[in-house]
Amino acid sequence: MNDDQAPVLICKDLSISYYTRAGEIPAVVDFSLTVLPGETIGIVGESGCGKSTVAMAIMQYMGANGGIKSGSITFKDRDLNQMSESELRRIRGSEIAMIYQEPFASLNPSLKISTQLMEVPLAHEKISTEEARQRALQMLSDVKLPDPERIMDSYPHQLSGGQQQRVVIAMGLLSNPSLLLLDEPTTALDVTVEAGIVKLVADISKKFGTSQIYISHNLGLILETCDRVFVMYSGEVVEEGTIDSLFTWPRHPYTHGLFACIPLPTADKNAAPLKPIRGQLPLPFERPQGCYYHPRCDHFKPGLCDQEHISMAHVEGSAADHRVRCLRYNEIDHHLQTPDGEVKKALELGEQVLEVDHMKKYYEVRDTSLRALISGKRVRYVKANEELNFSAREGETVAIVGESGCGKSTFAKVLMGLEKGTDGEVRHRDKDLSDIAVRDRSAKQIGSLQMVFQNPFDTLNPSHSIGGQISRVIKKFGVEKDKKKIFDRVMTLLDTVKLPRDFYFRKPRQLSGGQKQRIGIARAFAGNPSMVIADEPVSALDVSVAAAVTELLMDIQREQKTTLLFISHDLSVVRYLSDRIVVMYLGHILERGTTEQIFTPPYSPYTEALLSAVPIADPEVTKREIVLEGNLPSAMNPPKGCPFCTRCHRRIGDICDNEPPPEQVVVDRHVIKCHIPLEELKKVEPVIHVPDESERLHARH
């Protein structure tokens, strides 16, 4: 970052509206931002607060019904609003580039990667085809993609999600832009891939001196990547400042509300539960008078906060650029106030409900190629699950963590009866279910095992009412037969998931993502299950909605003593809500134990890398950096020895490549699968260091 140079971008008093048949929708109001050369700016806030609208306005991609109502956007002393379409085309992609959340939306599925990458310099510069190809190859190397020649010759569908995102980043950086806009570029990626890509973008931007605007709702990621941060709420910035100033001393109640929703290492699901922000983000045409946040604010003062529109003001006694849109920020001592979430009673664990004993799941793949015919190897196997062993008790939360493709969801499918196990047993209530398909299970067996899916949009029937969909579950599983009793139970379930009773008559399209996920939870618990499998239930949700859904799952579990199997790659959520953790990699369990055991040494080297990759939204928490190189190997052709040996930062030699690792018992049910002796693993320093209160006070002074 260079303070002496002229700003790359200045947004001044920007107001952006969309015009529909219903009238004007003011999406963004009174937005101002200055970006210096080499500086990284973070914009955070809930979905619908206007983050992406700002990015689209900078790119001048407002569509036919969107427009800048007032204010200006100046890029390198040129007003973008006054440029012609041909001038904008010359700037887009060459001087201002954008990386979107979904890489598949940026890549043409019918064109090879080489064509799409070479198109960028060929369109913007006078350059030969060979020079464009060489530049594209070099950029693929810069984004750490193995075998760039093979990648260039591939179509998008032949690459993994992480590889696709790296290609999109390479495309964005190919013409060495002065400004790079990143709109949630890592939301859909594993934490390990995310850590690699975040470091990669930071390194390349430093190399080329690129300025960045990073849009995210992940505060931990913003802390690790940005110099300054802007917090947006309902179309306006409510607080801005440097990372150190804003993360250490946040002043706006909304910023504090966001932090209270995040499961930091200090959070405890019983002693210090998360405190979701109550209420909902107001729609643009329903914004209240005065402070937009006041209907959800714990510090609202009638006659003050609900009068005139509030302007940004400099925070007294703080950094020069720490500003806040709040009239009471000086009266509230947030640091002395802890979230007033009630202390919740820990659930006593009951008898064993689930036992997984040497469970395997292989998929058969038939190869009809001539090479397979000659070699005689016409049948090969995808080893999705390999010798799984673990158990779960009544009222216990067991988390299964690992990267995409490690076999987490495959195990869930075997448990649910959507797939049959190849070998071993999965015993639920002492009955082996591994080879009983769902169609052959009794209503009681199906009802006792229910699932909450990652994407609520795909799991609710759009043509049926919410009440009808939940009622069907109650009737199907024989919980109630009488229509009146079924109706009453649906109403009770809507109360349980904290939704209005009139939602009974609504269709899914009338609900937000968070509300749909609550309906998914209500439906899962409608059949009085003894076990619920939650497959990434909060990964697609805002932090405030995710906190509410997480607490809801915990509350229903306490009430019904349900066993919860929580599948996730987000270790911060896992640390908060799980009692025990199973760490999977390429179909194998590399470590299992209590949450405390998994988060303290000795670790499996893979667990160590996963912990290092978790973004933590606390500037006083330090952690060691371990970035995994390479991708997950193919489950059809796994390594001969340790499954993790191809990426392991602690590999000790040929034994790792050639021999499967032994299971080493650390204590009781804490087991690590690794060749490194336990004595050596015990000497490993903790990955995450959480300072105690005296260290925090010393750091602040």
Side-chain angles (χ1 to χ4, degrees):
M1 189 173 73
N2 195 333
D3 295 342
D4 301 329
Q5 293 181 23
V8 172
L9 182 81
I10 301 172
C11 299
K12 193 170 182 185
D13 303 329
L14 203 58
S15 290
I16 306 164
S17 291
Y18 289 98
Y19 300 91
T20 67
R21 282 180 294 179
E24 181 187 341
I25 297 173
V28 173
V29 290
D30 188 24
F31 181 87
S32 296
L33 165 80
T34 302
V35 186
L36 298 171
E39 185 177 32
T40 302
I41 301 287
I43 303 179
V44 299
E46 294 169 278
S47 295
C49 71
K51 307 186 298 291
S52 297
T53 300
V54 168
M56 289 302 184
I58 294 168
M59 293 294 290
Q60 297 288 307
Y61 276 154
M62 294 302 297
N65 68 332
I68 292 164
K69 189 179 177 185
S70 61
S72 62
I73 304 175
T74 308
F75 176 71
K76 292 186 173 178
D77 297 326
R78 289 175 289 175
D79 190 342
L80 292 177
N81 298 348
Q82 306 301 321
M83 285 189 184
S84 66
E85 193 56 40
S86 60
E87 287 177 303
L88 287 170
R89 271 200 299 270
R90 282 198 293 272
I91 284 179
R92 290 188 198 122
S94 61
E95 293 195 60
I96 305 176
M98 187 161 179
I99 296 169
Y100 296 89
Q101 178 173 354
E102 179 51 64
F104 232 81
S106 309
L107 296 172
N108 188 325
S110 62
L111 296 177
K112 286 187 176 181
I113 299 298
S114 56
T115 308
Q116 300 186 58
L117 285 176
M118 289 161 61
E119 186 182 27
V120 178
L122 287 171
H124 292 290
E125 300 168 42
K126 289 179 179 176
I127 188 173
S128 70
T129 306
E130 185 53 37
E131 283 177 307
R133 182 177 179 81
Q134 288 307 314
R135 177 135 23 124
L137 282 167
Q138 180 57 47
M139 190 54 78
L140 288 177
S141 297
D142 285 346
V143 297
K144 306 278 194 308
L145 273 169
D147 195 359
E149 287 283 2
R150 183 187 66 80
I151 299 287
M152 288 278 277
D153 205 38
S154 302
Y155 288 94
H157 72 270
Q158 295 172 304
L159 307 179
S160 70
Q163 288 174 329
Q164 286 174 13
Q165 194 62 291
R166 285 170 191 245
V167 167
V168 171
I169 290 168
M171 195 182 290
L173 292 165
L174 256 175
S175 277
N176 190 11
S178 304
L179 179 64
L180 186 63
L181 307 174
L182 302 105
D183 189 358
E184 302 270 17
T186 59
T187 300
L189 302 178
D190 288 318
V191 282
T192 48
V193 179
E194 177 182 79
I197 283 179
V198 165
K199 186 173 186 299
L200 165 79
V201 173
D203 290 347
I204 290 177
S205 297
K206 197 173 179 182
K207 178 179 174 183
F208 295 117
T210 312
S211 301
Q212 297 176 65
I213 296 177
Y214 218 112
I215 294 168
S216 181
H217 63 249
N218 186 334
L219 284 161
L221 203 61
I222 292 293
L223 173 64
E224 290 184 2
T225 54
C226 298
D227 304 307
R228 287 192 297 137
V229 62
F230 287 67
V231 181
M232 286 189 75
Y233 181 79
S234 191
E236 65 181 11
V237 175
V238 293
E239 187 166 10
E240 63 176 273
T242 62
I243 286 292
D244 285 344
S245 178
L246 191 138
F247 273 74
T248 309
W249 299 108
R251 293 308 182 100
H252 199 282
Y254 177 61
T255 313
H256 276 272
L258 288 178
F259 280 115
C261 293
I262 300 169
L264 295 170
T266 49
D268 183 293
K269 68 178 178 181
N270 298 314
L274 301 180
K275 189 189 173 195
I277 302 171
R278 68 171 186 270
Q280 303 239 345
L281 195 78
L283 293 169
F285 46 85
E286 293 176 350
R287 287 173 181 144
Q289 184 76 14
C291 173
Y292 293 164
Y293 184 62
H294 84 246
R296 304 172 74 186
C297 184
D298 293 334
H299 309 285
F300 167 61
K301 193 172 181 179
L304 178 70
C305 302
D306 54 1
Q307 298 302 305
E308 297 299 317
H309 185 251
I310 298 162
S311 301
M312 293 288 279
H314 175 250
V315 176
E316 295 170 17
S318 67
D321 58 355
H322 193 165
R323 303 196 306 152
V324 67
R325 197 185 295 269
C326 178
L327 297 174
R328 301 198 62 212
Y329 78 88
N330 252 340
E331 301 169 31
I332 309 163
D333 193 344
H334 291 286
H335 193 62
L336 295 177
Q337 292 187 355
T338 54
D340 57 356
E342 56 183 296
V343 174
K344 297 182 179 178
K345 190 179 177 184
L347 193 60
E348 283 188 25
L349 303 184
E351 61 184 24
Q352 192 162 287
V353 174
L354 177 75
E355 189 174 359
V356 184
D357 187 12
H358 293 85
M359 199 281 278
K360 292 183 181 180
K361 174 60 186 172
Y362 292 176
Y363 291 98
E364 193 176 279
V365 179
R366 293 193 174 273
D367 192 343
T368 56
S369 67
L370 182 63
R371 186 173 59 185
L373 192 66
I374 294 167
S375 66
K377 295 179 180 177
R378 299 192 65 179
V379 178
R380 299 166 74 192
Y381 293 95
V382 175
K383 298 180 178 180
N385 289 150
E386 188 76 81
E387 295 267 341
L388 302 190
N389 294 288
F390 68 93
S391 59
R393 296 164 65 186
E394 185 182 76
E396 188 173 36
T397 302
V398 178
I400 303 179
V401 300
E403 294 169 279
S404 299
C406 73
K408 308 186 297 290
S409 295
T410 300
F411 166 71
K413 285 175 184 174
V414 173
L415 181 58
M416 294 296 291
L418 301 174
E419 300 277 2
K420 284 189 177 184
T422 305
D423 198 5
E425 294 185 347
V426 178
R427 289 190 292 276
H428 177 252
R429 300 284 191 200
D430 293 326
K431 171 88 174 162
D432 182 16
L433 300 178
S434 61
D435 59 351
I436 306 176
V438 68
R439 69 179 71 86
D440 300 323
R441 294 184 183 183
S442 66
K444 187 179 178 184
Q445 285 175 329
I446 296 170
S448 65
L449 285 166
Q450 285 296 294
M451 196 155 182
V452 179
F453 296 90
Q454 178 174 1
N455 190 347
F457 298 86
D458 294 342
T459 56
L460 295 175
N461 190 323
S463 58
H464 288 203
S465 70
I466 297 304
Q469 296 189 56
I470 301 174
S471 299
R472 185 172 180 271
V473 174
I474 297 166
K475 193 175 176 182
K476 270 273 187 188
F477 297 146
V479 178
E480 297 288 356
K481 298 289 184 191
D482 181 67
K483 281 188 176 181
K484 175 74 171 68
K485 287 182 178 177
I486 290 173
F487 179 80
D488 290 343
R489 176 144 176 81
V490 175
M491 289 302 178
T492 306
L493 282 163
L494 287 173
D495 292 342
T496 304
V497 297
K498 298 179 175 64
L499 287 175
R501 288 189 164 202
D502 68 346
F503 274 39
Y504 182 96
F505 305 100
R506 292 196 185 185
K507 298 279 177 72
R509 67 175 182 273
Q510 296 171 288
L511 275 59
S512 70
Q515 288 169 339
K516 284 179 185 168
Q517 194 60 290
R518 286 168 185 250
I519 295 300
I521 291 169
R523 191 177 59 178
F525 281 92
N528 293 332
S530 63
M531 174 173 276
V532 168
I533 298 100
D535 190 357
E536 302 270 18
V538 296
S539 64
L541 304 176
D542 281 325
V543 284
S544 53
V545 181
V549 169
T550 302
E551 288 304 309
L552 178 65
L553 275 171
M554 298 289 96
D555 289 343
I556 300 175
Q557 183 188 32
R558 287 185 188 96
E559 188 182 309
Q560 301 194 10
K561 293 192 174 177
T562 316
T563 304
L564 189 63
L565 207 61
F566 193 85
I567 297 172
S568 181
H569 65 250
D570 186 344
L571 274 161
S572 54
V573 175
V574 163
R575 180 180 195 155
Y576 172 71
L577 59 78
S578 63
D579 302 303
R580 291 181 54 248
I581 298 174
V582 175
V583 180
M584 284 186 70
Y585 184 83
L586 207 63
H588 293 255
I589 293 176
L590 294 190
E591 186 169 1
R592 64 180 191 271
T594 65
T595 304
E596 192 62 37
Q597 288 166 344
I598 296 293
F599 276 81
T600 49
Y603 311 109
S604 149
Y606 180 57
T607 308
E608 186 183 7
L610 278 183
L611 293 175
S612 169
V614 180
I616 299 171
D618 186 339
E620 292 169 339
V621 172
T622 54
K623 57 178 185 168
R624 287 192 287 115
E625 185 182 279
I626 303 160
V627 177
L628 290 182
E629 299 294 334
N631 292 302
L632 203 71
S634 167
M636 198 182 289
N637 187 25
K640 183 181 172 186
C642 172
F644 187 52
C645 69
T646 57
R647 301 168 75 195
C648 184
H649 55 287
R650 295 192 181 276
R651 186 177 164 278
I652 54 175
D654 291 344
I655 190 171
C656 297
D657 298 333
N658 299 315
E659 291 184 31
E663 286 195 345
Q664 303 184 71
V665 180
V666 184
V667 59
D668 191 21
R669 291 158 80 192
H670 185 196
V671 176
I672 294 174
K673 190 184 274 192
C674 187
H675 285 295
I676 302 169
L678 272 180
E679 290 69 32
E680 292 296 314
L681 292 175
K682 284 175 181 174
K683 293 174 187 173
V684 172
E685 289 289 310
V687 174
I688 299 168
H689 173 66
V690 181
D692 57 31
E693 200 51 44
S694 62
E695 287 177 297
R696 285 181 185 272
L697 286 170
H698 179 73
R700 286 182 187 132
H701 293 299

